[in-house]
Amino acid sequence: MKKVVTLFALAVAMLTAGSAKAQLNLHLGYMPETFTTEINGNSSDVSMDGFFVGGDYMMNLTGDLNLSLGLQVRYNMSSETVATIETKSSQLLLDVPILFNYGFPLGSDFKLSAFVGPTISFAVMGKSKVTILGTETETDWYENDDNYSRLNVYGTVGLSLCYRGQYRLFGGYNLGLLDLDKSDNTKFTSGGLFVGLGIGL
């Protein structure tokens, strides 16, 4: 995790030092995530609500082509009750989106941009609490590093609508590219849609 933050800080320093057109943006949004488990050809899905907040630097490369480097905190959560069994799960992640985007002016005030690139994600915490007839059991997803990987990489695509170069409405899809389960007979992947709002400083 420290390496991810350090690399982000160095990249931001390079961007801001190398381009007077670099702009800092803050953003927040909703990002539900679906986790898919495949075992011997059979698959099952578990969905979690997710929220994120963070910032990004937008650097102009040439013309209407830009590069955005971001850092955001994301929190996933879910709650399910079946008969007398209640299950609550939560996950905290750090995301580093590295996105190329190309803009298309829409009149004098609006600009539509398409973006694509990788998002590197590191799970800081993940746990589940199961309560049965008042007895609670907690499971740490990453306590045994031999089971699940904290590191994930998404392929990210989406669209952004910007007003007067400052206010943004954006949305897209994250496709998990890595198998997060380290066992041989199980595949564990994730992905989901997202939508958010941003403001330039």
Side-chain angles (χ1 to χ4, degrees), residues 70-136:
L71 177 64
Q72 63 190 27
V73 178
R74 181 158 50 100
Y75 184 72
N76 290 335
M77 59 184 178
S78 67
S79 180
E80 182 182 22
T81 301
V82 179
T84 59
I85 303 175
E86 181 184 54
T87 303
K88 293 184 177 180
S89 299
S90 59
Q91 186 185 33
L92 181 67
L93 308 103
L94 282 179
D95 297 333
V96 180
I98 306 170
L99 306 175
F100 292 92
N101 65 82
Y102 190 86
F104 307 88
L106 300 176
S108 58
D109 292 333
F110 292 92
K111 187 175 185 178
L112 180 66
S113 299
F115 56 83
V116 62
T119 294
I120 302 169
S121 183
F122 182 84
V124 178
M125 174 275 293
K127 61 183 180 181
S128 295
K129 291 183 179 180
V130 178
T131 303
I132 304 175
L133 298 176
T135 301
E136 183 179 283

Side-chain angles (χ1 to χ4, degrees), residues 31-36 46 152 154 173-176 189-193:
M31 187 185 297
E33 190 161 16
T34 298
F35 298 88
T36 301
V46 174
N152 198 5
Y154 299 91
Y173 188 82
N174 280 331
L175 175 64
T189 56
S190 65
L193 297 168

Side-chain angles (χ1 to χ4, degrees), residues 7-47:
L7 288 174
F8 172 78
L10 290 174
V12 168
M14 293 173 61
L15 287 175
T16 54
S19 175
K21 295 183 179 180
Q23 180 185 22
L24 173 65
N25 305 285
L26 300 179
H27 60 254
L28 55 82
Y30 177 59
M31 187 185 297
E33 190 161 16
T34 298
F35 298 88
T36 301
T37 302
E38 295 183 23
I39 303 176
N40 299 324
N42 297 315
S43 65
S44 61
D45 295 336
V46 174
S47 296

